[in-house]
Amino acid sequence: MEVTRQNFKDCLSAVYSAIDEADFLAIDGEFSGISDGPNVSALTNGLDTPEERYTKLKKHSMDFLLFQFGLCTFKYDQTKSKYITKPFNFYIFPKQFNRTSPDIKFICQSSSIDFLASQGFDFNKVFCHGIPYLKQDEEALLREQTEERRNQHANGLGTPYISPSSSKGPAHVPEEHKDFINRVVERVEALFTNEGKTLDLEPCTGFQRKLIYQTLSWKFPKGLHVETLETEKKERFIQISKVDEEESKRKKQQELAREQEKLNDAVGFSRVIHAISKSGKLVVGHNMLLDVMHTIHQFYCPLPENLPEFKEITMCVFPRLLDTKLMASTQPFKELITNTSLAELEKQVKETPFKSPEVETAEGFPSYDTAQEQLHEAGYDAYITGLCFISMANHLGSFLTPPKAYIAVRSKLIEPFFNKLFLMRIIDIPYLNITGPDLQPKRDHVLYVTFPKEWKTSDLYQLFSAFGNIQVSWIDNTSAFVSLSQTDQVQIAMNTSRYAESYRIQTYAEYIKGRQQEKEKLGQPARTWGEDGWVKPHYASSTASSGFGYPGMRKRSIGSVQGEQGSEEAQITDGWSHYSYPDDSPGGKKIRLDGGGQASDDPVESKTSEGWLKTTDASYSSGSSPASDEKSPEGSETGSYAEGTVAWQQAPTVPGTKGQKKKKKKKSEESTTSLFEVPEVW
Amino acid sequence: MEVTRQNFKDCLSAVYSAIDEADFLAIDGEFSGISDGPNVSALTNGLDTPEERYTKLKKHSMDFLLFQFGLCTFKYDQTKSKYITKPFNFYIFPKQFNRTSPDIKFICQSSSIDFLASQGFDFNKVFCHGIPYLKQDEEALLREQTEERRNQHANGLGTPYISPSSSKGPAHVPEEHKDFINRVVERVEALFTNEGKTLDLEPCTGFQRKLIYQTLSWKFPKGLHVETLETEKKERFIQISKVDEEESKRKKQQELAREQEKLNDAVGFSRVIHAISKSGKLVVGHNMLLDVMHTIHQFYCPLPENLPEFKEITMCVFPRLLDTKLMASTQPFKELITNTSLAELEKQVKETPFKSPEVETAEGFPSYDTAQEQLHEAGYDAYITGLCFISMANHLGSFLTPPKAYIAVRSKLIEPFFNKLFLMRIIDIPYLNITGPDLQPKRDHVLYVTFPKEWKTSDLYQLFSAFGNIQVSWIDNTSAFVSLSQTDQVQIAMNTSRYAESYRIQTYAEYIKGRQQEKEKLGQPARTWGEDGWVKPHYASSTASSGFGYPGMRKRSIGSVQGEQGSEEAQITDGWSHYSYPDDSPGGKKIRLDGGGQASDDPVESKTSEGWLKTTDASYSSGSSPASDEKSPEGSETGSYAEGTVAWQQAPTVPGTKGQKKKKKKKSEESTTSLFEVPEVW
């Protein structure tokens, strides 16, 4: 269903009930661009740390507009044994609420716009009919202002235009307006004596209207209702009515009700996101980190400074996420799926050993035909993301004894994939772990190399030709990471380079230490755009500008050159298994993870009817993950991991019905366990 | 005529000939936004200096995209006694030329987009079918690269992909590609022995293609032609052909010709601007400063640091400009025209004493109907701007003895309006003088006031209530200019404020001096966005950030509140006549002004066929304005002006035919002179 500003209000209850009844939701966003700084291959360096990646995306991707949001709800119909889907395709545009509300600016990147244009994207629908939205603080401010006005009305102080100073005495009327105001006052005095009930003044300027409001509320504190109306030509004029106490109250209440509705209209599309958030349902996306970041940034609040805070907020907004790209890149799917781009994945999960899921579009919703690809329409992408999830989830059922053809969203089998967001093109960290510390691969075999700006990839190959195969990840045009295939060559390479003049080599550990020291020494925030109305009032960023400037980046990493025919493909290298956790992880801040049994609970405390975000809820620091309570001894088999800290390590059990736990069978336990030792099988 | 990427090439010769035959050109641009920083009322402070205004517009307006360009050519048909018009409406979009060309980012401002949407603007035409363009340095870089390739071909070194290092020896082939490359070499060796003429390789990555080029050019320096082609699915593959010397040359020439054409396509819409520039014709616009700035910035070069340089470049790109808003705001039109917004002006010049100009749309061009307003379509706006100019120009003929109904573009009568661009909302400087120093009004009656951020306009009225009428121009939320109506009150106001604690008052002179000192002390550049692909690689701006931050600007100047019903209207205050010129103006850099007699000369030296900009031409520092050669003694009547420095001061003569000068009649001379004492009658 296409949803624009024109039919949004009519569709809203259908959206709410679709969310309410759904087993899970699939989402997708289309943006006006990806990077306002480095090109994509530099934005997604193969050896970024999760912190670095977050910082870069926050800095370089958030000024773009999420202008199409796809939501597809999936409800399993037991009697039909199929999913009923309701796809929505929302067009989003930050239309100003009124002349004092922020005038949002956003960036467009020509390559992204051109790509969407080539896919038949309808920009007129976005720019002419997009649904507006508000962040939480913007909504709060507007509600506060309305409340203030209500109180002023109650105290008889009157009008939206009144200022604190004017309540102390008569309005100061500048000389050139005195005649005009005096004439108005005369006409109002006449109104009291004659039969007419209302007086329409001629259209005038906002300043003049302000003077009229101030003067009349001072001169005639009772018996008048003063209101600004618009002519057909959109010229504003003042209407003055004689009213008794009763009528005055009624008129004011009507005015407030109208205001309230206008305000809800202004909150607009944010209400849909609030409903998704409040539902606590599983939200599925494909390669969804940017979708999640944009959704929070655009409809909740500017993204926080650092990654742990982002994880906390994400868990508040989306208590359960599942990324189908991460799922498809993980055992047992990794062996079966050669290309994890959404279009290819969708094709592959139709073939053996997968089965096309049985789905049916709900009545009244236009149905998508996957044979007629409508890729990069957000609603369609959300729809096929859901299909991919169902096929993969059901495939997990084939490993059970006896096999099951349908795996419910509540199944423990899919829990290991919860809240892990795919990290594009990072060689050795497959995902961002939203509910805990991230994987910390050893990078003993990685060298940080700086060199003259004339150097090309081939020069690096030449330089390291004696040390076996290498992999180059460009950082900027005078530095790169070089990964050696054999760690024992690192020291030899370091020794060889000792007296080099044109280039310089550091170990990865030295490089990280240097950056850390630099950061501490500088301790200064990066550039922020403080001007009014920008998409983001940036938090000061402490890591952004030190060493990662990407000035005039022109070269491309090998990874990006090789991957050009499938730009969404990450360059994943097998055989990395030496992960460790950060030293402080057991004592680190714990983040609440809603387990399967809590699916229907309201996960965030609601401040308004629309589901306010509250990040300081006490439960976030007390409740430990229900998943970690069930950790199995098999965790130690994986070698170097700290025990019991994260969900993916747990051995899932055969799904029980409604909280009843079946007795574990040693055999099935082992077979399912081996599916989910994510890092080992990566 | 609507012109998009789809019909641009077909239309180009029609555009060229329309420009060639025209008497004058009218232009208009539509942008994706106005200000990425302060709101419009702060961006256009009533007491900006021209330098400040330029700096602000450059800083806050240039990251928007000029995405629709209207050009309407006007050719006077003597036999029909009417103008023949050819209107063009170009849609512009910075589509990437290839994957290495810059990926332009531009800003959209929601209020501007929303406004255009409400006028029926077709965003799909822009984003899906917009014509690309290149700046001069981008074109130069591409042409250089093509040239380099040509030379490499000539030297037998071969290919677009070859790198300097690879010419020294065989390509370094990474281990994992050795098998692949060896197989290619074997197949090429086989090609030499068998009958086939060409060999199509399978699609492969860019890196692999590079290795193939390098290897083959090393192993087979002669007898092979290697070319990258695309499959229908846009996959790139390499085609290898056996060729003799002759054929090899021919193939390479074909390749170069194709490249050349592609390159011209990439220069795209910039070719139209080059043609306008090269023509040297009078270019008419309405309130055209931003149009001129955007046109130069987008199609020529990033705007220069300071205003004098901007004026120089403007004179190179547009040797003769005329702003109809400035014309309509000047005597004798000022008395006749109450509202100078384009829509209102167009209506007023149809009424007495004006006459609707006789115009006819050229055959094959869709004609605009001014009754059916299509305002804010650039082509239509350009068209009615031209109509306004014709009506006003012809009206000047009524002052002649005997009166003339038609005034040609070459007439001396309109020269006083040349190269003066309207300055929006500046109280006492009506225009930016492109061909000389700007007016420097005395601002003895202006006070610079700083105060707590809680203050509103009414607080300022209160504060100055003892000193007569005032006018407030907000700078930011803690400072404003306050203009007193009586200069003799200034010292009293200063004395009164001496011991004030909550606010502070400086005279305008003190304020300017303070800013100057601050600038000298700081001497540091403001923020620049250095990242790749931005609309502008900003010049470092020295004045921008000192004192004009506009953080969180929320208040509105009185001027803007009053003007809300006609947002384009400047708040012009009469009675300012105390102008002076900067001390250094006679010795300052002189700028070449093409007089009427030189209309058909090519004003800029051309570096390429498309009319290259050349700002360092020696003639700019030697030739003085032909207009100033004709300066009349009447100039001294205007009182305080330095003599003979600017064109508007000259007394225009009755237009001669083809350079012949008629003998001046004292009477008509006086009457026309009085029309053009622009500052006095302002």
Side-chain angles (χ1 to χ4, degrees), chain B residues 583-597:
Chain B
D583 298 339
D584 59 346
S585 71
K589 206 166 188 178
K590 282 194 186 128
I591 290 174
R592 170 176 159 182
L593 169 72
D594 281 297

Side-chain angles (χ1 to χ4, degrees), chain B residues 26-177:
Chain B
I27 64 165
D28 181 62
E30 298 295 338
F31 320 119
S32 64
I34 299 294
S35 170
D36 66 3
N39 61 32
V40 172
S41 72
L43 192 71
T44 55
N45 183 289
L47 289 162
D48 281 336
T49 63
E51 287 78 10
E52 283 168 341
R53 177 62 59 85
Y54 172 72
T55 302
K56 280 198 278 182
L57 292 180
K58 171 173 139 48
K59 185 179 176 192
H60 293 297
S61 294
M62 289 302 115
D63 280 335
F64 297 101
L65 188 69
L66 192 174
F67 54 20
Q68 197 185 46
F69 190 95
L71 167 69
C72 188
T73 66
F74 290 80
K75 179 196 176 187
Y76 192 70
D77 186 322
Q78 296 281 359
T79 54
K80 292 182 175 173
S81 293
K82 54 166 74 166
Y83 277 100
I84 311 296
T85 66
K86 293 184 177 176
F88 299 90
N89 197 35
F90 299 93
Y91 292 84
I92 318 282
F93 184 77
K95 191 177 158 71
Q96 268 186 302
F97 173 58
N98 59 34
R99 280 171 298 173
T100 62
S101 66
D103 186 6
I104 300 294
K105 290 99 190 176
F106 58 89
I107 299 175
C108 293
Q109 182 170 10
S110 57
S111 59
S112 300
I113 296 292
D114 191 41
F115 174 76
L116 287 173
S118 74
Q119 304 285 318
F121 190 87
D122 190 339
F123 296 97
N124 285 337
K125 271 199 185 145
V126 167
F127 294 139
C128 304
H129 308 303
I131 309 159
Y133 58 87
L134 289 179
K135 283 196 175 72
Q136 289 203 308
D137 60 343
E138 294 163 344
E139 181 184 348
L141 186 70
L142 271 181
R143 292 202 190 273
E144 237 169 61
Q145 286 170 347
T146 312
E147 193 64 29
E148 245 173 49
R149 272 200 296 272
R150 200 196 313 262
N151 292 337
Q152 283 178 351
H153 277 291
N155 299 333
L157 287 179
T159 77
Y161 282 100
I162 215 136
S163 81
S165 65
S166 62
S167 66
K168 295 170 204 150
H172 171 80
V173 179
E175 204 58 47
E176 64 270 31
H177 293 293

Side-chain angles (χ1 to χ4, degrees), chain B residues 258-460:
Chain B
R258 272 201 302 275
E259 261 171 23
Q260 204 65 36
E261 192 182 345
K262 263 191 177 173
L263 208 144
N264 283 338
D265 292 349
V267 180
F269 182 73
S270 302
R271 300 167 80 184
V272 173
I273 301 295
H274 297 160
I276 294 173
S277 173
K278 232 181 116 185
S279 78
K281 304 254 160 112
L282 176 68
V283 173
V284 177
H286 188 83
N287 200 7
M288 72 192 302
L289 177 55
L290 265 183
D291 298 281
V292 169
M293 288 177 75
H294 268 287
T295 302
I296 292 173
H297 186 77
Q298 195 160 311
F299 308 116
Y300 276 91
C301 57
L303 290 182
E305 173 61 12
N306 57 53
L307 183 57
E309 284 176 58
F310 169 69
K311 291 180 177 181
E312 277 190 46
I313 290 179
T314 302
M315 275 299 96
C316 294
V317 176
F318 296 117
R320 260 180 314 160
L321 293 168
L322 186 144
D323 190 327
T324 46
K325 191 171 178 85
L326 188 271
M327 193 171 182
S329 310
T330 308
Q331 292 291 26
F333 307 107
K334 181 177 160 40
E335 306 288 292
L336 304 167
I337 293 161
T338 50
N339 185 331
T340 62
S341 76
L342 182 58
E344 290 304 314
L345 179 61
E346 193 268 329
K347 282 177 199 153
Q348 290 178 69
V349 297
K350 283 175 174 168
E351 312 288 332
T352 333
F354 299 102
K355 275 193 207 110
S356 276
E358 293 279 319
V359 291
E360 185 183 302
T361 310
E363 225 188 286
F365 285 79
S367 63
Y368 284 117
D369 178 2
T370 58
Q372 269 197 324
E373 297 186 5
Q374 288 169 274
L375 278 169
H376 301 288
E377 183 191 284
Y380 179 80
D381 281 6
Y383 170 68
I384 63 173
T385 297
L387 298 189
C388 292
F389 166 67
I390 295 168
S391 288
M392 290 193 287
N394 287 347
H395 180 67
L396 291 177
S398 67
F399 292 87
L400 297 178
T401 324
K404 281 185 121 188
Y406 161 68
I407 294 298
V409 168
R410 281 162 220 80
S411 165
K412 287 258 179 279
L413 279 173
I414 54 174
E415 272 184 24
F417 302 101
F418 282 176
N419 300 323
K420 297 182 180 66
L421 305 190
F422 187 75
L423 282 174
M424 284 273 284
R425 299 177 203 256
I426 294 188
I427 293 170
D428 52 7
I429 311 176
Y431 58 83
L432 185 71
N433 183 15
I434 298 292
T435 50
D438 286 301
L439 300 168
Q440 286 207 326
K442 277 190 186 153
R443 289 179 174 172
D444 292 349
H445 61 296
V446 177
L447 297 170
Y448 172 73
V449 192
T450 51
F451 41 78
K453 64 180 188 307
E454 289 78 17
W455 280 35
K456 296 193 163 45
T457 305
S458 55
D459 296 299
L460 290 168

